[in-house]
Amino acid sequence: MRSKRRLRELMANKGTLPQETFTDILSRLPIKSLTRFQSVSKPFSALINSPAFIAAHLRRSSRHSSFFFRHFNNPSGSSFSFFLNNNQISDVEVPLLGCLIRFPKIVGSCNGLVCLDISSCYARGFVLWNIARKQYSCLPSPRISDSRRPFWMVSTGFGFDRKKNDYKVVRIVSFGCEKDESPVVMAEVFSWRTFCWRVIEASIGACAIHEGQNGVVVNGGLHWLGNSAGKSGIQKFIVSFDLDTEEFRKIPIPDFPAGICVKIMGFKGSLALAFYPAKEVDVHSRHGRPGVADWIEFCVWDECDGADRKCWTKLNSIQLTTVGYPVGVANETGLIIKKLIEGQGAQFILFDPSNQYYRGMHICDASYSCDVHSYVESLVPVSGGGHDQVIEEEPSEV
């Protein structure tokens, strides 16, 4: 009733209010109300779906981000759920769920668009999904196939190209090779604006990007942990892909011993790494005692003492009272850590490495795994070119 009354007032005053004021008022309304208002008139629909209004609404909604997460309670992933945590936890129904072979993987979440990998293996099928608008779009099949050489590993990422105002899905394919051969790596990019895949010519070089990683968006680029075999042994580095220029580069990372895991994260506009012991691996911690996963150490890729070059500098570390490990990042300001407490299941904390501040989070009770992403409601369409692949979800029966 309040929304209808507000709409009548806006329509009555539209002739007297300046267009900028009228647009500003509408941009403060929730998407649920705006979706209903589209059917009022063609001018209303044209305004709400205009790029300028979508951008204005996104700027406001970005101040109130929430979390979108997937959790499953067994190794096979047959029992899984998607949830939104926006002051309260709400279940989210996944489109196409009835015809999926296995649980969908979250490739990334950006400006209200969620990219899902719905294929059974090797990232062969993708969906762009706007949860708030209840729209989704099945992307065309990728171009790189295994018709000539068998796949070895496939890694993916999803991010926003600010300069071109384009959302992009990146797919990196490593082909199988003989023992003495260098791995063959190819990459392709899907453009939201053109709605098609394009094989890119940029060279990654001989390297392996481990399957299962999500490309982490930091400062206009996607980042994955990679390695290659050289004369001095296995070399580990970060593979970085610039979403604007579509060029690859390798960023060296600090040496770390076996049994240590690394999570790439964005922290306040800079690339950062979180080091922590692998679960159930007996290593000696950096605090000098036998290892359990009870500490996490951070370092940031930043300017070196005001010089033009960059280097890794230690930011901070956290000592956990129980076993824990990172599962996500909150808007580049904090790390979401899952703590395993014997007899109590899983608990989650949000930790800010810059000031050692942390607080508890109520996310889910997943006993096996949890995948957490930042999320904001937006009007961004699932297809930038107005293609007819956009599908409206069927309303749920009450």
Side-chain angles (χ1 to χ4, degrees):
M1 292 297 294
R2 184 179 300 176
S3 297
K4 291 182 179 179
R5 185 168 60 252
R6 185 180 299 173
L7 176 58
R8 285 196 296 268
E9 293 172 356
L10 285 172
M11 293 181 68
N13 295 326
K14 186 176 184 300
T16 58
L17 288 175
Q19 181 66 30
E20 294 79 7
T21 304
F22 181 70
T23 301
D24 181 71
I25 294 172
L26 280 182
S27 69
R28 299 170 186 269
L29 300 181
I31 289 180
K32 188 175 181 179
S33 298
L34 292 172
T35 302
R36 293 201 303 266
F37 292 171
Q38 289 185 94
S39 60
V40 171
S41 66
K42 289 183 178 180
F44 257 72
S45 179
L47 172 63
I48 292 172
N49 289 289
S50 65
F53 183 83
I54 291 173
H57 188 275
L58 179 61
R59 284 193 295 270
R60 292 191 182 279
S61 62
S62 296
R63 304 170 190 169
H64 310 285
S65 63
S66 57
F67 297 106
F68 176 64
F69 54 94
R70 179 196 71 174
H71 76 79
F72 48 99
N73 294 319
N74 54 36
S76 67
S78 59
S79 175
F80 68 95
S81 302
F82 284 86
F83 291 93
L84 273 175
N85 184 358
N86 187 7
N87 298 324
Q88 62 180 8
I89 296 179
S90 57
D91 193 0
V92 179
E93 187 173 341
V94 182
L96 298 173
L97 187 59
C99 60
L100 294 181
I101 299 175
R102 56 177 291 183
F103 64 90
K105 173 187 174 184
I106 304 174
V107 178
S109 172
C110 183
N111 293 345
L113 291 184
V114 175
C115 180
L116 298 178
D117 173 6
I118 62 171
S119 59
S120 58
C121 62
Y122 296 129
R124 300 177 190 270
F126 297 90
V127 166
L128 286 184
W129 181 24
N130 187 315
I131 302 173
R133 296 192 68 166
K134 297 186 180 299
Q135 292 180 343
Y136 67 92
S137 181
C138 297
L139 307 191
S141 299
R143 297 181 60 184
I144 299 176
S145 69
D146 56 355
S147 59
R148 295 185 178 180
R149 302 188 67 168
F151 285 169
W152 178 32
M153 290 185 292
V154 177
S155 301
T156 56
F158 177 62
F160 179 55
D161 179 356
R162 293 181 180 273
K163 293 184 178 180
K164 297 183 177 67
N165 190 30
D166 194 5
Y167 296 88
K168 296 180 178 180
V169 182
V170 180
R171 181 174 182 255
I172 302 175
V173 177
S174 298
F175 292 93
C177 60
E178 299 296 331
K179 184 177 180 180
D180 297 330
E181 291 181 337
S182 297
V184 177
V185 184
M186 295 181 65
E188 59 185 329
V189 176
F190 172 83
S191 167
W192 169 82
R193 298 190 69 86
T194 63
F195 213 79
C196 65
W197 289 92
R198 184 180 70 261
V199 178
I200 59 176
E201 301 299 329
S203 174
I204 309 175
C207 70
I209 300 175
H210 294 288
E211 187 178 14
Q213 294 184 62
N214 291 320
V216 179
V217 180
V218 183
N219 198 22
L222 283 163
H223 303 79
W224 300 264
L225 186 65
N227 63 54
S228 62
K231 294 180 179 180
S232 57
I234 300 296
Q235 298 175 335
K236 298 183 182 295
F237 45 79
I238 291 175
V239 175
S240 177
F241 177 79
D242 190 303
L243 287 164
D244 173 35
T245 63
E246 298 187 352
E247 294 179 348
F248 286 98
R249 68 187 180 108
K250 296 177 181 178
I251 301 174
I253 62 174
D255 293 331
F256 55 90
I260 300 298
C261 294
V262 181
K263 185 174 184 65
I264 304 172
M265 56 183 285
F267 183 72
K268 298 183 178 179
S270 297
L271 184 65
L273 297 177
F275 295 92
Y276 59 98
K279 293 183 295 180
E280 301 177 359
V281 174
D282 185 17
V283 298
H284 287 277
S285 74
R286 300 182 185 190
H287 303 284
R289 56 190 181 82
V292 291
D294 62 352
W295 56 267
I296 302 175
E297 192 170 278
F298 303 88
C299 61
V300 177
W301 180 249
D302 214 341
E303 302 297 334
C304 291
D305 301 323
D308 293 334
R309 62 187 182 89
K310 291 186 176 183
C311 61
W312 292 103
T313 56
K314 182 177 177 180
L315 177 65
N316 226 322
S317 61
I318 178 175
Q319 183 75 35
L320 303 175
T321 56
T322 56
V323 175
Y325 55 94
V327 295
V329 178
N331 301 321
E332 295 197 357
T333 58
L335 189 66
I336 302 171
I337 300 171
K338 179 180 178 180
K339 297 170 61 178
L340 304 176
I341 301 176
E342 188 174 357
Q344 300 182 36
Q347 293 184 358
F348 295 84
I349 61 173
L350 179 61
F351 177 74
D352 186 337
S354 62
N355 55 21
Q356 293 278 305
Y357 172 79
Y358 65 90
R359 63 178 176 85
M361 300 177 65
H362 179 58
I363 295 183
C364 64
D365 57 354
S367 58
Y368 184 75
S369 183
C370 183
D371 187 15
V372 186
H373 297 260
S374 294
Y375 174 79
V376 297
E377 287 193 344
S378 83
L379 291 163
V380 177
V382 292
S383 174
H387 297 268
D388 56 6
Q389 290 89 344
V390 176
I391 303 173
E392 301 284 346
E393 294 181 41
E394 293 292 334
S396 301
E397 293 184 1
V398 179

